[in-house]
Amino acid sequence: MKLTEVDKRLLALHYVFPVPVNRLERLFMIDPNLEKIFDFKATEFASLLNIPIRKASRLQENLNTNTTVPYDTLYEQKNIIPIPFTNSQYPDSLKNLIDPPAVLYACGNPGLLHQRFKIAIIGSRKATAYSNEAMELIVPPLVESDVIIVSGLATGADTLAHKAAIKYGGKTIAVLGHGFFHLYPKENRLLADEIIKNHLLITEYPPYVKPEKWTFPMRNRIISGLSDAVIVTEAADKSGTMSTVEHALDHGKDIFAVPGPITSALSIGPNKLIEEGAKPIWNGFQVVETLIPDH
């Protein structure tokens, strides 16, 4: 992928200040091509980025120290494809977010970002056999309609969704809540390797960023932002799954939920969503008919 000089300067800035685009808006207004970022004083950074002067001083120092670092070449050596917000290959769907990632880092086939239909399948990290049974009914019709399955590579429902897409010959995108040098959970290493080889792994964090509690809720907005609709299998009433749904609702996405037994705590989330207007589903054809009516 061809990077412009603006792209390369954004990579340098993002490496030392990995924040979403909305945190950089005032900087872009003053310096739209980021030509002055290596010349700004700490006080200017503090004002433009709304950060404490001590943090602005560290930012200035780190930028000046790494002025000549060829980030694009270093990423290429690690088979990482950076897609800056300023690049034409950045997915339009993420630009609709309030806080789009300033850079997407990709491993695998970035062309999947631009395929027409993408659906998120999400649920509990403690997903039961019921989620697995649901995947068997929901995923095959989606794959047959060339829908890409998006999820978060977490244990439980995410893992089941990625594996089902692969099992039935479809494509999947996994969105990480950390940089590529710190894969989490570790037990999904083989799955991640398979996704890198034949599918797509993405994150908004530079490779060195470790997983933190706050990075996973941030990741959820990318999952919903990339997707045309969200399917919820099993989820507790208050969970990361439900935060992803909230992001999707904010952007007018269709929500589908798998109805579950009233005796299961993990069915409270989907059942409540159905009560609030989500479409109940028990097979993937229902999703296909809603999103691809002329298929």
Side-chain angles (χ1 to χ4, degrees), residues 92-101 218 220-230 243-255:
D92 289 337
S93 58
L94 292 184
K95 292 180 180 178
N96 295 324
L97 297 177
I98 296 171
D99 50 356
M218 291 292 287
N220 293 341
R221 81 194 196 288
I222 300 177
I223 293 174
S224 69
L226 283 176
S227 305
D228 300 292
V230 174
S243 78
T244 307
V245 169
E246 288 173 11
H247 284 297
L249 288 171
D250 287 344
H251 292 92
K253 305 291 178 75
D254 284 303
I255 308 297

Side-chain angles (χ1 to χ4, degrees), residues 245-284:
V245 169
E246 288 173 11
H247 284 297
L249 288 171
D250 287 344
H251 292 92
K253 305 291 178 75
D254 284 303
I255 308 297
F256 299 89
V258 177
I262 59 175
T263 53
S264 170
L266 292 181
S267 289
I268 293 176
N271 289 346
K272 275 194 171 183
L273 287 173
I274 292 168
E275 181 187 27
E276 293 166 3
K279 299 179 179 68
I281 58 164
W282 43 91
N283 64 62

